[in-house]
Structure formats: structure tokens, C-alpha cells
Amino acid sequence: MSQPRVWKIVGGGDKGGIVVREGQQLASPALDERLATDSEIEEIKLVGDRLQFRRLNGSGPNEGWISTKITGKALAELVPPKVSAPTSAAGTVSAGIGGDANEEPAWIEESRQKLKMFREGTPVLAPKNTAVRLRTAGLNAILPSFKRLAMAEMKEACKKNLPGHISGLKFPHDAEQLKSFGPEWYTEAFRKFGTLAKDNRVTRVVEVKQLPHSGFDCAGGAGHKAFVTLEFEKPDPNLHTELFAKFPWDFFASPMEEAMRMQMSCYADLDAPELLTYLCCEELFPFRIPKLYFCDINRDTTNFILLLEKIPFGQRGAVKDGRTVERLERRPFELLPVCGKYQDYLLDDPAQIYYCIFREMAHLAAWDHQGRYDAFLQPAVPYTAEQGLQYAPKKPAKMKMKELKQQAVSALISKGEEFATKIAPQIFTAAGKDPAMLKRMKEDLAFMAPHFDDMKAFAGSTSDWLGASHMNLQADNAYFWRDEHGDLDCGIFDWCGFSRCPFVTTFLGCLAGAEADILDAHEEGLMKTFCDEYARYGGPKLDYKEMLLKYRLLWPGYLVDCCQWIERDIYRDWPQEKWPLIKDKYDEKFVGNWHVRCRASALITAFEFWPKRNFRKVMEDWCVEYKQYLTPYVP
């Protein structure tokens, strides 16, 4: 979330301060009292040179509007933020309060050198220390096995508050408990994890603010989120007073939360791997991640808690009609604003954000080929294309199976076609809802459907195409900044599902929030960037043209997958009869509904991008050149 900017009044020294007005317009009434020189104010809103403020110190009105400059002369100047966040060797942010405000934090120089090596093409190999870090001997390295609870079992289990299987402590798992457990619990938990010295303690839980799960700034679909503000007895430059908490959906709050709790905690093991990634891999990544303060989970109840540093995102400029219409001046290494999921249209330069993300995905996978994460993911087994086919030979399938796959895909695409042309045509572009295009698309997808699995298997044709991967690296799961040269760097969070896989399969999700025109213009460049950075960080040398082929072969299956969510999520949260109430994809009723926005936005892009490529020809050409990957269908 945004961190308010602070300004200092530098004008009006000979007049007892500067004029404050009631409103934004220069013609609005002036207040009786001036804002004293040297006062510090918090920015509420900046429109051109007009600043709405809240006074922090000094004398004068508590609130109002001022001019930041007049006839070229500054009346107010931005105060540099008190950055006191030196990093560990891993490059994680690891400070929050105290320290010398004039001292440049260590992570800035690390990022500066990293980007310099990027511009110069300098190889960057993984450090040799690959041991998994467990914070104390008292923490368990291995959790009990995942339990797939039935709904009736979950209904009873999630009510319990049992000790965590990592720390052995009982832990808070909702916003009320994050407050009521009190400073004593935070002190014990942080000491247990080695994030708090024994001669220091948490003295007060100042505030717990649960983040919204609906509205324009809704905060994600994997669970509830909150900001936690703490006070420590001894200020320490290695401690944050502002933390971020993630905890489970409330099974009893609503049918939607019940469904999400079952999906995230019971149908698959999604919560624990994220906690273990933060716990065990914090020092191993080639980029920054938020500092871990505490995490735990109980396998019997599926309750969990994750406490990290809060990322101080920059302020977003004014938004109008779904676009950022105000570009704020940012200093080098100042964090850019947060971007919500499927709100990539709010980014100042979406394409450059995607290039930055692709670089980091390449770095992550390349270091895996040097054994960087073997202690966590287990050592990788190298294999050639021939060995891969021998391990998973293509067995003949019945022609009936081929027909069933084609029928299933046709049925799903029909749902998508109906949604785009009859239920919600107002959110689709003309190209994305063109009836002739949709008819051809359904025919082509039915033709390709019997070989979706074959094309997916081809994505990992050799072990060179496998690597450690973030499963959901969209723009909302990273935080970005620019150096003095304007080059982007980033840190990454949300490690649900961190694993080793054919990394091309993660590109589709990564770019799911991109607009079709941007994909069209930069698809090839992104593949080149990945291949170049993968090799520079020590991974195998890959052909970007083959990567592009693998990526395009995955698109048909991805588009069909998008259609399955129409009935499962979209109509559940916004029934068909209510769609006339939504004006367009920027309507607050659309943007403010998490599942509707995410599922429908992916479908909008997929339908608009489809006619920009001849995916059927891509597949037909592949079938000729790589027929050894095809499943044979027999009577």
C-alpha cells in the first residue's frame, strides 16, 4: 500500500508562512492562518502544483491546500524518506526503524551493481552456500503430511487453535487474534524465529488493519491480509514496526469464503509450501523478498499465519476511466505504486514491468541448474529428449477419448462465446467478441484438444527447460524500483506453489493481466530476454524461437482453461441476470469483485489475443516436426 509522502515548507519566511486555501482552486477562500515555514506536512493529494495536506508539525492550519511553488520559486519541498533498511546477504529488506536516515541502505548498492552487470552483460553465477537455513534447532524441518479434509471435517477442525507444527506455539489466524494475542506472543514468536534479540521485546500491538477483499484495492484471493503495527522496547534498524500478515479465509463468513477455504487449504497443499519457502529459502534467491518475522501452520486444522515486513509501495497518481492520468516524479530506488491483480493497465509502463519479471524468472531458474535450491527442492535429474520420451512413452488412446476431449472443449468454448456475445459483451473488445472469429476459434480448439497434453509435455522436452519457478508471478506479486539510469529492478513475494517445473508453463499466468496489444508487440522480445538472462545467470543456452513455440503451443489449453471459470467463479459471484448493471471493465462493480475481475479479465485478453496468431497452424507445423510427442488414437 502507499506510504504517505512528507513535505517541508521552505517559502514564506518573510511573511510568517505561506497561504493555505480551503480548496484546490487558487480562487478558493484563503484560511486566516498561514502555514509556518519549516513545518512538515503529509501529502494527501497532489494535482499539478497544488497540494492537499495534513500538518505533522510546526504551526498553522491542520489541513488545507497549498501551492508547492509559485513563479518558479519553491514553497514546499519533498522530504527524503527515512530509509533505514540495510539488507542481509540475500538482499531481503531487513530494517524498519532507527539507524542513520542519511546513510544509504545496503540493498540500494546491491541493486545498483546488479543493474550495472545487466547493462554490461556480466555473468552472475550462484553463490556456493546452498544449505537450507532453519532459524533455530527448535524448528521442525519437515511438516506432517498434508491432509485432504472433507467439508464436514473442515467445519470442525478450523474452529480449533492448536499449536503450530513449525514452532510448537499456538498462533493467531484471524485479524482479531492478531490483536488479542498481545505483545507477549509477538515477543516469544519472534525470538523463536531469531528475528528478535533476547534483550528486546514487543511492547505494544498498536493496530491491526484487515485489508479489503472487495473493492478497487481488494487484497488478493489466497487468503485474508492485514497490516500489523508494533512497538519495540528498543528501536533497532533491523526491525520493522509495520508488518504484513496473511491468514486463512474464514470458513463461516460466506459461501464464497467457504469455497475459497476448501480450495486453498483442502483440495491441494498450497499454504504450507509458501511458509516453508520463506522459512528455508530467504537467503537463496537472486532478488529481494520481504523479510520473514514468523510463520506457522497446523496440519490438523489447516490454520496458518505468515508475518512479513510491510512493503512501502509508492503513491499512485490519479486514475480516471481505468487509466493512470497523473505521473508522479520518483527518485531512484523509490518503490513504484502497488498494482492490483489484473489491473496492469494502471502501470506506468507495463511492457518494461514484464521484461523485469522475465529477467527474474530466468535468474531463479538458472540458479536452480547450479544446485542453489537442491536442499529444498531435492536435486534435479537431468534428461535428454530421448530419455524424456522413454520415461513417459506415448501410449495409444481410444478414438472415443479423442471425441470426448473435443466435445468437452467445444462445450466450454460455447460458454465463453455466450458470455462474450450475450451476457457481458460490454466488457469485451470488438475483436474479442466477433462471432465469426469465435466460431473459427471453437473449431480450431476442438481440433487441437486431443493433443493439449502432448503440447504441455513438450514444454519440458529436456531438463534444460525445467527450473525453479514462481507459480503466480504477475505484476501484483512483485515490487519495483528504478536506478539512476531508469532501469527496473524488483523484489518478489507470494511464494505459494514454489517448485521446479517446465518454466514456460508459468509464462501464461505471469502475462494473464497484460493487454492483448502489449502481448502482440513484446511476445518475442520477452522470450529473447528470458533466454539471454537464463544463460547469463548460469543456465543452459536455449533457442528463443523454440521457447516461443512452446509458449504458443500452451495458449490453446490456457484459453480453454479460462472458460471453465465462467460458471465456477464468475456466475457464482455475479449471476447472469446482473451483468446489465455493469457498464464496462472499469466499472467499480466489476473491478471491485475479486473473482469476477480476475477470471473475466483473463478471458477478455485471451479472446482478443487469439486472432492475432494462427494457433492452429502453429500446432499443425509442430505435429509434423515433433510427431514423436503425439498420442496415437486408435479405434
Side-chain angles (χ1 to χ4, degrees), residues 25-36:
Q25 301 301 319
L26 288 171
S28 65
L31 302 184
D32 293 337
E33 191 177 6
R34 287 177 174 252
L35 185 59

Side-chain angles (χ1 to χ4, degrees), residues 86 89 120 158 218-219 229 266 306 323-325 338 350 381 387-388 433 437-438 440 450 589 591:
E120 296 173 349
C158 67
C218 50
T229 304
C266 297
L306 176 64
R323 300 289 177 179
T324 303
V325 296
V338 65
V381 178
Q387 291 170 331
K433 61 185 177 186
M437 183 280 293
L438 292 172
R440 290 193 303 271
K589 294 183 287 295
V591 175

Side-chain angles (χ1 to χ4, degrees), residues 229-346:
T229 304
L230 303 176
E231 285 184 0
F232 294 93
E233 184 175 68
K234 298 178 181 180
D236 186 330
N238 291 308
L239 293 174
H240 295 85
T241 57
E242 300 285 337
L243 302 184
F244 167 85
K246 182 176 180 179
F247 44 95
W249 289 107
D250 182 349
F251 183 85
F252 303 99
S254 68
M256 184 278 290
E257 291 207 35
E258 176 188 279
M260 289 304 299
R261 183 65 183 270
M262 293 299 294
Q263 179 180 324
M264 296 303 300
S265 300
C266 297
Y267 299 154
D269 189 9
L270 298 176
D271 300 325
E274 179 176 19
L275 307 188
L276 291 175
T277 300
Y278 278 106
L279 177 66
C280 301
C281 300
E282 192 174 26
E283 295 93 346
L284 301 181
F285 294 130
F287 37 68
R288 295 171 65 194
I289 69 170
K291 178 182 177 180
L292 173 68
Y293 277 78
F294 180 83
C295 65
D296 214 336
I297 187 169
N298 181 278
R299 286 297 209 185
D300 299 316
T301 66
T302 75
N303 292 325
F304 73 89
I305 186 64
L306 176 64
L307 285 167
L308 306 168
E309 64 159 303
K310 174 187 171 184
I311 302 300
F313 286 104
Q315 181 181 358
R316 180 192 294 147
V319 176
K320 183 178 180 180
D321 298 328
R323 300 289 177 179
T324 303
V325 296
E326 178 188 21
R327 286 211 175 193
L328 303 181
E329 184 178 346
R330 305 189 193 281
R331 298 180 304 279
F333 302 101
E334 179 182 353
L335 297 195
L336 302 186
V338 65
C339 170
K341 192 171 288 295
Y342 292 94
Q343 291 180 322
D344 296 21
Y345 49 80
L346 296 177

Side-chain angles (χ1 to χ4, degrees), residues 565-581:
W565 298 106
I566 295 173
E567 291 196 339
R568 291 178 58 180
D569 276 1
I570 295 176
Y571 290 160
R572 181 194 65 193
D573 286 8
W574 199 262
Q576 297 183 42
E577 62 271 16
K578 293 178 66 176
W579 276 94
L581 300 176

Side-chain angles (χ1 to χ4, degrees), residues 30-331:
L31 302 184
D32 293 337
E33 191 177 6
R34 287 177 174 252
L35 185 59
T37 305
D38 292 331
S39 297
E40 289 188 330
I41 57 176
E42 177 181 288
E43 177 184 314
I44 298 175
K45 186 177 182 181
L46 181 66
V47 182
D49 295 333
R50 296 290 289 165
L51 173 67
Q52 186 182 17
F53 72 90
R54 182 181 297 110
R55 182 169 58 82
L56 298 175
N57 56 46
S59 61
N62 290 327
E63 294 183 340
W65 287 82
I66 64 169
S67 295
T68 59
K69 59 185 176 181
I70 186 169
T71 62
K73 182 179 178 181
L75 300 180
E77 293 181 347
L78 271 172
V79 177
K82 294 182 178 181
V83 185
S84 53
T87 63
S88 68
T92 61
V93 183
S94 57
I97 58 176
D100 184 355
N102 296 317
E103 182 180 349
E104 182 177 87
W107 71 262
I108 289 181
E109 182 59 24
E110 292 172 5
S111 178
R112 183 181 288 124
Q113 292 303 315
K114 175 182 174 183
L115 290 171
K116 181 175 182 288
M117 289 188 285
F118 163 62
R119 287 189 292 270
E120 296 173 349
T122 305
V124 182
L125 301 183
K128 296 300 182 184
N129 56 318
T130 58
V132 172
R133 191 270 318 271
L134 291 178
R135 293 172 180 270
T136 74
L139 299 178
N140 298 318
I142 301 176
L143 288 172
S145 299
F146 168 68
K147 294 183 178 181
R148 187 185 294 269
L149 299 182
M151 186 170 289
E153 295 174 309
M154 170 61 89
K155 188 174 183 179
E156 296 303 318
C158 67
K159 298 176 185 176
K160 302 175 182 177
N161 197 334
L162 301 180
H165 283 117
I166 297 175
S167 71
L169 301 176
K170 289 187 176 181
F171 56 88
H173 56 269
D174 61 40
E176 183 179 343
Q177 291 178 4
L178 282 165
K179 181 75 173 179
S180 66
F181 268 50
E184 295 80 10
W185 179 84
Y186 286 92
T187 298
E188 182 180 9
F190 291 175
R191 286 177 179 172
K192 186 84 171 179
F193 265 55
T195 46
L196 184 66
K198 291 183 179 180
D199 63 351
N200 201 356
R201 66 188 181 94
V202 178
T203 57
R204 187 161 75 102
V205 183
V206 179
E207 182 184 29
V208 175
K209 180 182 178 182
Q210 182 160 323
L211 303 183
H213 55 264
S214 63
F216 187 87
D217 289 315
C218 50
H224 281 298
K225 319 285 175 62
F227 290 150
V228 181
T229 304
L230 303 176
E231 285 184 0
F232 294 93
E233 184 175 68
K234 298 178 181 180
D236 186 330
N238 291 308
L239 293 174
H240 295 85
T241 57
E242 300 285 337
L243 302 184
F244 167 85
K246 182 176 180 179
F247 44 95
W249 289 107
D250 182 349
F251 183 85
F252 303 99
S254 68
M256 184 278 290
E257 291 207 35
E258 176 188 279
M260 289 304 299
R261 183 65 183 270
M262 293 299 294
Q263 179 180 324
M264 296 303 300
S265 300
C266 297
Y267 299 154
D269 189 9
L270 298 176
D271 300 325
E274 179 176 19
L275 307 188
L276 291 175
T277 300
Y278 278 106
L279 177 66
C280 301
C281 300
E282 192 174 26
E283 295 93 346
L284 301 181
F285 294 130
F287 37 68
R288 295 171 65 194
I289 69 170
K291 178 182 177 180
L292 173 68
Y293 277 78
F294 180 83
C295 65
D296 214 336
I297 187 169
N298 181 278
R299 286 297 209 185
D300 299 316
T301 66
T302 75
N303 292 325
F304 73 89
I305 186 64
L306 176 64
L307 285 167
L308 306 168
E309 64 159 303
K310 174 187 171 184
I311 302 300
F313 286 104
Q315 181 181 358
R316 180 192 294 147
V319 176
K320 183 178 180 180
D321 298 328
R323 300 289 177 179
T324 303
V325 296
E326 178 188 21
R327 286 211 175 193
L328 303 181
E329 184 178 346
R330 305 189 193 281
R331 298 180 304 279

